[in-house]
Amino acid sequence: MYDYICETPVVLMDIIKRRKEITKEFVAFYQDKTIEQIYVIGSGTSYHAGLSAKAYLEEILNIKVFNCYPTQFERNEKIFNKNTLVIGVSQGGQSLSTVAGLDSAAKRGLYTAALSENPTALIFDHADTKTRLFVGNEKCGAKTKGYAGTTVTLMMMLTEWAIAKGIVTEDAAQGYFQRMFRVIANMEMITAEATKWYGRIKEEFLPAKRIIVVGYDGMYADVLEGALKILETVRQGVTGYDIEEFFHGIYNSITETSHIFYLASKGDYKPRVEKLVSILNEWTPHHYVIASPEGMLNDSSKNLVCEFIEDPLFSPWEYIIPLQVIACLAPQDLGINPDIPKDPEFHKKIGSKLLDGIRDQYSDQNGETND
Protein backbone atom coordinates (compact mmCIF):
# COMPACT_ATOMS: atom_id res chain seq x y z
CA MET A 1 0.00 0.00 0.00
CA TYR A 2 2.85 2.41 0.78
CA ASP A 3 4.43 1.61 -2.58
CA TYR A 4 1.14 2.48 -4.29
CA ILE A 5 1.05 5.84 -2.50
CA CYS A 6 4.58 6.53 -3.72
CA GLU A 7 3.66 5.44 -7.27
CA THR A 8 0.72 7.85 -7.52
CA PRO A 9 2.62 10.81 -9.06
CA VAL A 10 4.02 8.59 -11.84
CA VAL A 11 0.57 7.12 -12.49
CA LEU A 12 -1.03 10.56 -12.75
CA MET A 13 1.64 11.80 -15.16
CA ASP A 14 1.22 8.70 -17.31
CA ILE A 15 -2.56 9.12 -17.53
CA ILE A 16 -2.23 12.77 -18.54
CA LYS A 17 0.43 12.01 -21.17
CA ARG A 18 -1.61 9.10 -22.60
CA ARG A 19 -4.93 10.91 -22.35
CA LYS A 20 -5.78 10.87 -26.06
CA GLU A 21 -5.20 7.12 -26.30
CA ILE A 22 -7.04 6.36 -23.05
CA THR A 23 -10.08 8.49 -23.90
CA LYS A 24 -10.23 7.70 -27.63
CA GLU A 25 -13.33 5.48 -27.51
CA PHE A 26 -15.22 7.84 -25.22
CA VAL A 27 -14.43 10.95 -27.28
CA ALA A 28 -15.23 9.26 -30.60
CA PHE A 29 -18.63 8.06 -29.36
CA TYR A 30 -19.70 11.38 -27.83
CA GLN A 31 -18.08 13.85 -30.21
CA ASP A 32 -21.29 14.36 -32.22
CA LYS A 33 -23.59 14.26 -29.19
CA THR A 34 -24.86 17.05 -26.97
CA ILE A 35 -24.28 16.62 -23.22
CA GLU A 36 -26.00 19.15 -20.99
CA GLN A 37 -25.43 17.56 -17.58
CA ILE A 38 -23.40 14.73 -16.10
CA TYR A 39 -23.91 12.26 -13.29
CA VAL A 40 -20.88 10.42 -11.87
CA ILE A 41 -22.07 7.38 -9.94
CA GLY A 42 -19.96 5.04 -7.81
CA SER A 43 -19.44 3.75 -4.30
CA GLY A 44 -16.68 4.33 -1.77
CA THR A 45 -13.47 5.58 -3.34
CA SER A 46 -15.14 5.83 -6.76
CA TYR A 47 -17.77 8.19 -5.38
CA HIS A 48 -15.14 10.30 -3.64
CA ALA A 49 -13.02 10.48 -6.82
CA GLY A 50 -16.00 11.74 -8.79
CA LEU A 51 -16.68 14.34 -6.12
CA SER A 52 -13.04 15.43 -6.28
CA ALA A 53 -13.30 15.93 -10.06
CA LYS A 54 -16.55 17.92 -9.88
CA ALA A 55 -15.18 21.47 -9.52
CA TYR A 56 -12.77 21.06 -12.44
CA LEU A 57 -15.40 19.49 -14.70
CA GLU A 58 -17.93 22.23 -14.02
CA GLU A 59 -15.30 24.92 -14.59
CA ILE A 60 -14.16 23.70 -17.99
CA LEU A 61 -17.54 22.45 -19.28
CA ASN A 62 -19.82 25.08 -17.77
CA ILE A 63 -22.48 22.41 -17.21
CA LYS A 64 -23.86 20.83 -14.05
CA VAL A 65 -22.10 17.76 -12.66
CA PHE A 66 -23.88 15.64 -10.06
CA ASN A 67 -22.24 13.03 -7.82
CA CYS A 68 -24.48 10.24 -6.66
CA TYR A 69 -24.30 6.82 -5.06
CA PRO A 70 -25.60 4.28 -7.60
CA THR A 71 -28.54 3.12 -5.50
CA GLN A 72 -29.60 6.70 -4.80
CA PHE A 73 -29.41 7.42 -8.51
CA GLU A 74 -31.40 4.34 -9.46
CA ARG A 75 -34.12 4.72 -6.83
CA ASN A 76 -34.42 8.42 -6.03
CA GLU A 77 -33.43 10.50 -9.07
CA LYS A 78 -36.58 11.14 -11.09
CA ILE A 79 -36.22 14.21 -13.34
CA PHE A 80 -33.62 14.23 -16.11
CA ASN A 81 -32.53 16.31 -19.03
CA LYS A 82 -32.45 13.79 -21.89
CA ASN A 83 -28.97 15.02 -22.83
CA THR A 84 -27.57 13.57 -19.62
CA LEU A 85 -24.41 11.48 -19.45
CA VAL A 86 -24.14 8.96 -16.62
CA ILE A 87 -20.60 7.73 -15.88
CA GLY A 88 -20.43 4.58 -13.77
CA VAL A 89 -17.14 4.18 -11.89
CA SER A 90 -15.86 1.03 -10.20
CA GLN A 91 -12.16 0.32 -9.90
CA GLY A 92 -12.73 -3.40 -9.54
CA GLY A 93 -15.58 -3.25 -12.02
CA GLN A 94 -17.89 -5.72 -10.30
CA SER A 95 -20.22 -3.48 -8.30
CA LEU A 96 -23.80 -4.64 -8.84
CA SER A 97 -25.22 -1.33 -7.62
CA THR A 98 -23.20 0.52 -10.26
CA VAL A 99 -24.51 -1.93 -12.87
CA ALA A 100 -28.06 -1.26 -11.71
CA GLY A 101 -27.45 2.49 -11.89
CA LEU A 102 -26.15 2.27 -15.45
CA ASP A 103 -29.06 0.02 -16.48
CA SER A 104 -31.48 2.50 -14.94
CA ALA A 105 -29.88 5.32 -16.94
CA ALA A 106 -30.12 3.34 -20.17
CA LYS A 107 -33.79 2.55 -19.59
CA ARG A 108 -34.48 6.28 -19.23
CA GLY A 109 -32.78 6.99 -22.54
CA LEU A 110 -29.67 8.60 -21.06
CA TYR A 111 -26.11 8.29 -22.30
CA THR A 112 -23.84 5.94 -20.34
CA ALA A 113 -20.10 5.41 -19.91
CA ALA A 114 -18.10 3.09 -17.65
CA LEU A 115 -14.68 3.55 -16.05
CA SER A 116 -12.78 0.66 -14.44
CA GLU A 117 -9.26 -0.69 -13.94
CA ASN A 118 -10.48 -4.25 -14.55
CA PRO A 119 -10.20 -5.19 -18.26
CA THR A 120 -13.09 -7.66 -17.84
CA ALA A 121 -15.22 -5.34 -15.70
CA LEU A 122 -18.89 -6.23 -15.46
CA ILE A 123 -19.83 -2.56 -15.72
CA PHE A 124 -18.29 -2.47 -19.21
CA ASP A 125 -21.14 -4.72 -20.38
CA HIS A 126 -23.71 -2.15 -19.21
CA ALA A 127 -22.53 1.12 -20.79
CA ASP A 128 -22.22 2.71 -24.21
CA THR A 129 -18.46 3.17 -23.81
CA LYS A 130 -15.71 1.72 -21.66
CA THR A 131 -12.61 3.55 -20.42
CA ARG A 132 -9.76 1.84 -18.62
CA LEU A 133 -8.31 3.24 -15.43
CA PHE A 134 -4.57 2.75 -15.87
CA VAL A 135 -3.36 2.63 -12.29
CA GLY A 136 -2.41 -1.05 -12.20
CA ASN A 137 -4.08 -3.72 -10.14
CA GLU A 138 -3.82 -2.58 -6.51
CA LYS A 139 -3.36 -5.85 -4.66
CA CYS A 140 -4.56 -4.52 -1.35
CA GLY A 141 -7.97 -3.85 0.10
CA ALA A 142 -7.70 -0.09 0.64
CA LYS A 143 -7.13 1.72 -2.64
CA THR A 144 -4.80 4.74 -2.76
CA LYS A 145 -3.47 5.55 -6.22
CA GLY A 146 -6.86 4.56 -7.63
CA TYR A 147 -8.43 7.58 -5.93
CA ALA A 148 -6.36 10.27 -7.65
CA GLY A 149 -6.08 8.08 -10.76
CA THR A 150 -9.85 7.90 -11.12
CA THR A 151 -10.17 11.65 -10.61
CA VAL A 152 -7.61 12.52 -13.29
CA THR A 153 -9.05 9.97 -15.74
CA LEU A 154 -12.50 11.54 -15.40
CA MET A 155 -10.88 14.91 -15.97
CA MET A 156 -9.09 13.68 -19.11
CA MET A 157 -12.23 12.04 -20.52
CA LEU A 158 -14.23 15.24 -20.36
CA THR A 159 -11.33 17.54 -21.26
CA GLU A 160 -10.62 15.68 -24.48
CA TRP A 161 -14.33 15.59 -25.30
CA ALA A 162 -14.58 19.34 -24.64
CA ILE A 163 -11.60 19.99 -26.96
CA ALA A 164 -13.19 17.84 -29.68
CA LYS A 165 -16.45 19.79 -29.29
CA GLY A 166 -14.73 23.17 -29.34
CA ILE A 167 -15.84 23.93 -25.77
CA VAL A 168 -12.25 24.25 -24.57
CA THR A 169 -9.17 25.15 -26.60
CA GLU A 170 -6.02 23.04 -26.56
CA ASP A 171 -4.11 26.02 -25.15
CA ALA A 172 -6.57 26.44 -22.28
CA ALA A 173 -6.35 22.72 -21.51
CA GLN A 174 -2.55 22.93 -21.47
CA GLY A 175 -2.81 25.67 -18.86
CA TYR A 176 -4.73 23.31 -16.60
CA PHE A 177 -2.26 20.49 -17.30
CA GLN A 178 0.63 22.72 -16.17
CA ARG A 179 -1.19 23.32 -12.90
CA MET A 180 -1.67 19.57 -12.52
CA PHE A 181 2.02 18.92 -13.18
CA ARG A 182 3.01 21.40 -10.46
CA VAL A 183 0.89 19.59 -7.88
CA ILE A 184 2.08 16.17 -9.03
CA ALA A 185 5.72 17.26 -8.71
CA ASN A 186 5.07 18.18 -5.06
CA MET A 187 3.52 14.86 -4.01
CA GLU A 188 6.78 13.01 -3.31
CA MET A 189 7.75 15.67 -0.76
CA ILE A 190 4.32 15.50 0.88
CA THR A 191 4.63 11.71 1.20
CA ALA A 192 8.05 12.00 2.87
CA GLU A 193 6.86 14.69 5.27
CA ALA A 194 3.68 12.75 6.08
CA THR A 195 5.74 9.65 6.88
CA LYS A 196 7.88 11.60 9.35
CA TRP A 197 4.75 13.19 10.80
CA TYR A 198 3.18 9.80 11.41
CA GLY A 199 6.28 8.84 13.37
CA ARG A 200 5.72 11.88 15.62
CA ILE A 201 2.04 11.22 16.34
CA LYS A 202 1.72 7.45 16.29
CA GLU A 203 2.13 6.82 20.02
CA GLU A 204 -0.69 9.25 20.73
CA PHE A 205 -2.84 8.16 17.79
CA LEU A 206 -2.65 4.36 17.93
CA PRO A 207 -4.95 3.90 20.98
CA ALA A 208 -7.66 6.05 19.31
CA LYS A 209 -11.16 4.57 19.27
CA ARG A 210 -12.99 7.57 17.84
CA ILE A 211 -11.49 9.51 14.93
CA ILE A 212 -12.90 12.51 13.05
CA VAL A 213 -11.69 14.17 9.85
CA VAL A 214 -12.75 17.77 9.15
CA GLY A 215 -12.21 19.89 6.04
CA TYR A 216 -13.85 22.20 3.54
CA ASP A 217 -13.97 23.51 -0.03
CA GLY A 218 -12.20 21.31 -2.58
CA MET A 219 -10.76 19.06 0.14
CA TYR A 220 -14.18 17.74 1.20
CA ALA A 221 -13.77 14.69 -1.05
CA ASP A 222 -10.47 14.03 0.76
CA VAL A 223 -12.30 14.28 4.08
CA LEU A 224 -14.63 11.46 3.02
CA GLU A 225 -11.91 9.40 1.35
CA GLY A 226 -9.44 9.81 4.22
CA ALA A 227 -12.06 8.78 6.75
CA LEU A 228 -12.87 5.71 4.66
CA LYS A 229 -9.21 4.73 4.30
CA ILE A 230 -8.48 4.95 8.03
CA LEU A 231 -11.74 3.21 8.91
CA GLU A 232 -10.96 0.32 6.53
CA THR A 233 -7.48 -0.31 7.84
CA VAL A 234 -7.40 0.81 11.48
CA ARG A 235 -10.95 -0.57 11.89
CA GLN A 236 -12.17 1.92 14.44
CA GLY A 237 -15.01 4.41 14.23
CA VAL A 238 -14.05 7.18 11.79
CA THR A 239 -16.30 9.92 10.42
CA GLY A 240 -15.65 12.84 8.09
CA TYR A 241 -17.43 16.19 8.10
CA ASP A 242 -17.49 19.44 6.19
CA ILE A 243 -16.35 21.99 8.74
CA GLU A 244 -19.62 23.94 8.70
CA GLU A 245 -21.54 20.72 9.35
CA PHE A 246 -19.19 20.05 12.24
CA PHE A 247 -20.11 23.46 13.68
CA HIS A 248 -23.79 22.54 13.51
CA GLY A 249 -24.02 19.99 16.28
CA ILE A 250 -21.19 17.50 15.81
CA TYR A 251 -18.99 19.41 18.27
CA ASN A 252 -21.35 18.33 21.06
CA SER A 253 -20.06 14.77 20.76
CA ILE A 254 -16.38 15.61 21.36
CA THR A 255 -14.84 14.02 24.44
CA GLU A 256 -11.30 13.63 25.74
CA THR A 257 -10.91 10.41 23.71
CA SER A 258 -11.77 12.02 20.35
CA HIS A 259 -8.93 12.37 17.82
CA ILE A 260 -9.50 15.05 15.16
CA PHE A 261 -7.66 15.59 11.87
CA TYR A 262 -8.11 18.94 10.11
CA LEU A 263 -7.43 19.47 6.41
CA ALA A 264 -6.71 23.19 6.76
CA SER A 265 -6.28 24.14 3.11
CA LYS A 266 -5.82 27.74 2.01
CA GLY A 267 -8.97 29.83 2.23
CA ASP A 268 -11.17 31.84 4.54
CA TYR A 269 -11.93 28.81 6.71
CA LYS A 270 -8.27 28.24 7.62
CA PRO A 271 -8.25 30.81 10.46
CA ARG A 272 -11.44 29.22 11.77
CA VAL A 273 -9.64 25.89 12.02
CA GLU A 274 -7.16 27.48 14.44
CA LYS A 275 -10.05 28.96 16.41
CA LEU A 276 -11.86 25.61 16.44
CA VAL A 277 -8.78 23.83 17.76
CA SER A 278 -8.39 26.40 20.53
CA ILE A 279 -12.02 25.86 21.59
CA LEU A 280 -11.91 22.07 21.41
CA ASN A 281 -8.61 21.95 23.30
CA GLU A 282 -10.75 22.30 26.41
CA TRP A 283 -12.40 18.97 25.60
CA THR A 284 -9.68 16.84 23.97
CA PRO A 285 -5.91 17.17 23.54
CA HIS A 286 -5.84 15.13 20.33
CA HIS A 287 -5.66 17.54 17.38
CA TYR A 288 -3.72 17.06 14.13
CA VAL A 289 -3.73 19.97 11.67
CA ILE A 290 -2.56 19.38 8.08
CA ALA A 291 -1.69 22.67 6.38
CA SER A 292 0.78 24.97 4.66
CA PRO A 293 2.85 27.30 6.91
CA GLU A 294 1.03 30.48 5.83
CA GLY A 295 -1.25 31.74 8.59
CA MET A 296 -0.38 28.95 11.03
CA LEU A 297 -0.07 30.16 14.61
CA ASN A 298 0.02 26.83 16.41
CA ASP A 299 3.42 25.17 15.96
CA SER A 300 2.52 21.88 17.66
CA SER A 301 4.67 18.93 16.58
CA LYS A 302 1.40 17.03 16.16
CA ASN A 303 0.63 19.16 13.10
CA LEU A 304 1.83 18.40 9.59
CA VAL A 305 2.92 21.77 8.27
CA CYS A 306 4.64 21.74 4.88
CA GLU A 307 4.49 23.49 1.51
CA PHE A 308 1.31 22.35 -0.23
CA ILE A 309 0.75 23.88 -3.69
CA GLU A 310 -2.77 24.93 -2.61
CA ASP A 311 -4.36 24.66 -6.04
CA PRO A 312 -8.14 24.75 -5.45
CA LEU A 313 -8.78 22.20 -8.23
CA PHE A 314 -5.86 19.78 -7.94
CA SER A 315 -4.42 19.96 -4.40
CA PRO A 316 -6.81 17.25 -3.20
CA TRP A 317 -4.16 14.94 -4.72
CA GLU A 318 -1.75 16.33 -2.09
CA TYR A 319 -4.02 16.61 0.93
CA ILE A 320 -5.19 13.00 0.80
CA ILE A 321 -1.64 11.67 1.16
CA PRO A 322 -1.18 12.19 4.94
CA LEU A 323 -4.41 10.31 5.65
CA GLN A 324 -3.39 7.53 3.27
CA VAL A 325 -0.05 7.25 5.06
CA ILE A 326 -1.81 6.85 8.40
CA ALA A 327 -4.14 4.25 6.89
CA CYS A 328 -1.11 2.35 5.62
CA LEU A 329 1.30 2.52 8.58
CA ALA A 330 -1.03 2.49 11.61
CA PRO A 331 -2.49 -0.99 11.04
CA GLN A 332 1.01 -2.44 10.84
CA ASP A 333 1.80 -0.97 14.26
CA LEU A 334 -1.55 -2.23 15.54
CA GLY A 335 -0.93 -5.75 14.26
CA ILE A 336 -3.80 -5.59 11.75
CA ASN A 337 -3.56 -6.99 8.23
CA PRO A 338 -6.07 -4.82 6.34
CA ASP A 339 -5.77 -7.03 3.24
CA ILE A 340 -7.68 -9.74 5.09
CA PRO A 341 -11.37 -8.76 5.28
CA LYS A 342 -13.23 -9.59 8.48
CA ASP A 343 -15.38 -11.84 6.31
CA PRO A 344 -13.87 -12.80 2.92
CA GLU A 345 -17.31 -14.05 1.85
CA PHE A 346 -19.11 -10.82 2.71
CA HIS A 347 -19.79 -9.58 -0.83
CA LYS A 348 -20.94 -13.03 -1.89
CA LYS A 349 -23.26 -13.32 1.12
CA ILE A 350 -24.77 -9.86 0.73
CA GLY A 351 -24.89 -9.97 -3.06
CA SER A 352 -23.12 -6.65 -3.66
CA LYS A 353 -20.59 -7.78 -6.29
CA LEU A 354 -20.37 -10.36 -9.04
CA LEU A 355 -17.84 -12.96 -8.00
CA ASP A 356 -17.42 -15.73 -10.53
CA GLY A 357 -14.99 -17.10 -13.10
CA ILE A 358 -12.35 -14.71 -14.40
CA ARG A 359 -13.98 -11.80 -12.66
CA ASP A 360 -13.91 -13.67 -9.35
CA GLN A 361 -10.18 -14.33 -9.80
CA TYR A 362 -9.58 -10.65 -10.49
CA SER A 363 -11.43 -9.58 -7.34
CA ASP A 364 -9.54 -12.11 -5.26
CA GLN A 365 -6.18 -10.88 -6.59
CA ASN A 366 -7.29 -7.34 -6.05
CA GLY A 367 -8.16 -7.88 -2.40
CA GLU A 368 -11.06 -5.56 -3.13
CA THR A 369 -13.11 -4.24 -0.24
CA ASN A 370 -14.38 -1.03 -1.79
CA ASP A 371 -14.69 0.60 -5.19
Side-chain angles (χ1 to χ4, degrees):
M1 185 175 172
Y2 191 83
D3 288 344
Y4 295 149
I5 296 170
C6 294
E7 291 168 9
T8 302
V10 175
V11 165
L12 298 186
M13 288 293 293
D14 182 62
I15 292 171
I16 297 169
K17 289 178 179 178
R18 296 174 57 200
R19 62 189 180 277
K20 294 189 183 296
E21 169 197 347
I22 291 170
T23 66
K24 183 178 179 179
E25 178 183 329
F26 175 82
V27 172
F29 188 87
Y30 286 107
Q31 185 169 355
D32 62 349
K33 296 175 175 62
T34 299
I35 297 172
E36 296 179 342
Q37 63 181 23
I38 298 170
Y39 276 83
V40 181
I41 64 172
S43 300
T45 295
S46 295
Y47 173 81
H48 303 151
L51 187 61
S52 187
K54 173 185 172 72
Y56 171 79
L57 296 181
E58 290 192 338
E59 180 166 313
I60 66 163
L61 301 176
N62 196 32
I63 63 176
K64 188 62 187 171
V65 177
F66 300 92
N67 302 97
C68 205
Y69 294 114
T71 304
Q72 292 292 318
F73 175 83
E74 177 197 4
R75 294 174 178 267
N76 294 338
E77 294 295 297
K78 305 297 183 186
I79 308 300
F80 295 97
N81 180 323
K82 287 300 182 183
N83 293 321
T84 296
L85 169 65
V86 180
I87 305 175
V89 183
S90 171
Q91 187 169 340
Q94 310 306 85
S95 171
L96 296 180
S97 64
T98 305
V99 167
L102 288 169
D103 287 347
S104 172
K107 288 176 183 176
R108 303 180 208 204
L110 310 180
Y111 300 130
T112 58
L115 172 60
S116 178
E117 195 279 323
N118 182 355
T120 64
L122 176 64
I123 65 169
F124 285 162
D125 300 335
H126 296 262
D128 296 323
T129 67
K130 59 180 182 290
T131 302
R132 285 289 309 284
L133 171 60
F134 285 99
V135 297
N137 185 0
E138 291 190 75
K139 297 179 181 178
C140 63
K143 307 299 182 288
T144 53
K145 61 181 175 177
Y147 172 57
T150 298
T151 299
V152 78
T153 303
L154 287 167
M155 291 175 173
M156 295 304 103
M157 289 168 65
L158 275 305
T159 301
E160 289 301 312
W161 173 78
I163 292 171
K165 295 286 286 185
I167 298 169
V168 175
T169 66
E170 186 73 44
D171 285 347
Q174 287 295 330
Y176 284 110
F177 297 155
Q178 292 305 313
R179 288 168 59 181
M180 294 178 190
F181 295 153
R182 186 166 177 242
V183 171
I184 292 168
N186 202 45
M187 292 170 69
E188 182 179 355
M189 181 275 290
I190 299 295
T191 303
E193 291 299 315
T195 303
K196 291 186 285 187
W197 168 68
Y198 171 74
R200 297 198 302 270
I201 69 169
K202 69 176 184 178
E203 295 304 320
E204 177 175 340
F205 170 73
L206 289 174
K209 302 300 181 186
R210 190 189 180 207
I211 304 158
I212 296 171
V213 184
V214 176
Y216 44 87
D217 296 341
M219 308 310 145
Y220 179 59
D222 285 355
V223 167
L224 299 180
E225 175 66 8
L228 173 63
K229 285 287 135 335
I230 298 172
L231 182 152
E232 284 184 290
T233 61
V234 174
R235 298 183 177 176
Q236 295 294 345
V238 188
T239 49
Y241 297 100
D242 173 84
I243 195 167
E244 197 67 42
E245 286 301 302
F246 185 88
F247 294 161
H248 286 76
I250 308 303
Y251 70 91
N252 287 304
S253 68
I254 301 304
T255 68
E256 63 183 10
T257 61
S258 301
H259 291 245
I260 310 174
F261 292 88
Y262 307 84
L263 300 187
S265 55
K266 183 178 180 179
D268 56 358
Y269 269 106
K270 186 172 181 178
R272 300 186 76 183
V273 169
E274 295 254 7
K275 188 172 184 179
L276 178 62
V277 171
S278 69
I279 294 170
L280 297 183
N281 260 329
E282 299 179 11
W283 305 341
T284 178
H286 310 301
H287 303 278
Y288 316 95
V289 179
I290 299 168
S292 294
E294 182 182 353
M296 287 292 293
L297 302 177
N298 185 344
D299 61 355
S300 169
S301 64
K302 293 187 288 186
N303 296 339
L304 171 57
V305 180
C306 59
E307 295 289 349
F308 291 89
I309 297 300
E310 301 288 5
D311 189 295
L313 297 179
F314 310 118
S315 280
W317 300 342
E318 300 177 290
Y319 269 91
I320 189 58
I321 291 172
L323 302 179
Q324 290 176 333
V325 167
I326 289 173
C328 172
L329 300 182
Q332 298 179 53
D333 289 329
L334 290 167
I336 297 169
N337 183 350
D339 289 341
I340 301 176
K342 281 198 169 184
D343 184 352
E345 298 293 309
F346 177 81
H347 287 296
K348 190 173 290 186
K349 290 176 181 177
I350 203 67
S352 57
K353 293 183 181 177
L354 176 68
L355 300 173
D356 65 349
I358 295 174
R359 288 168 171 153
D360 188 19
Q361 294 173 19
Y362 177 89
S363 294
D364 288 345
Q365 292 169 0
N366 209 33
E368 186 182 7
T369 59
N370 70 78
D371 285 313

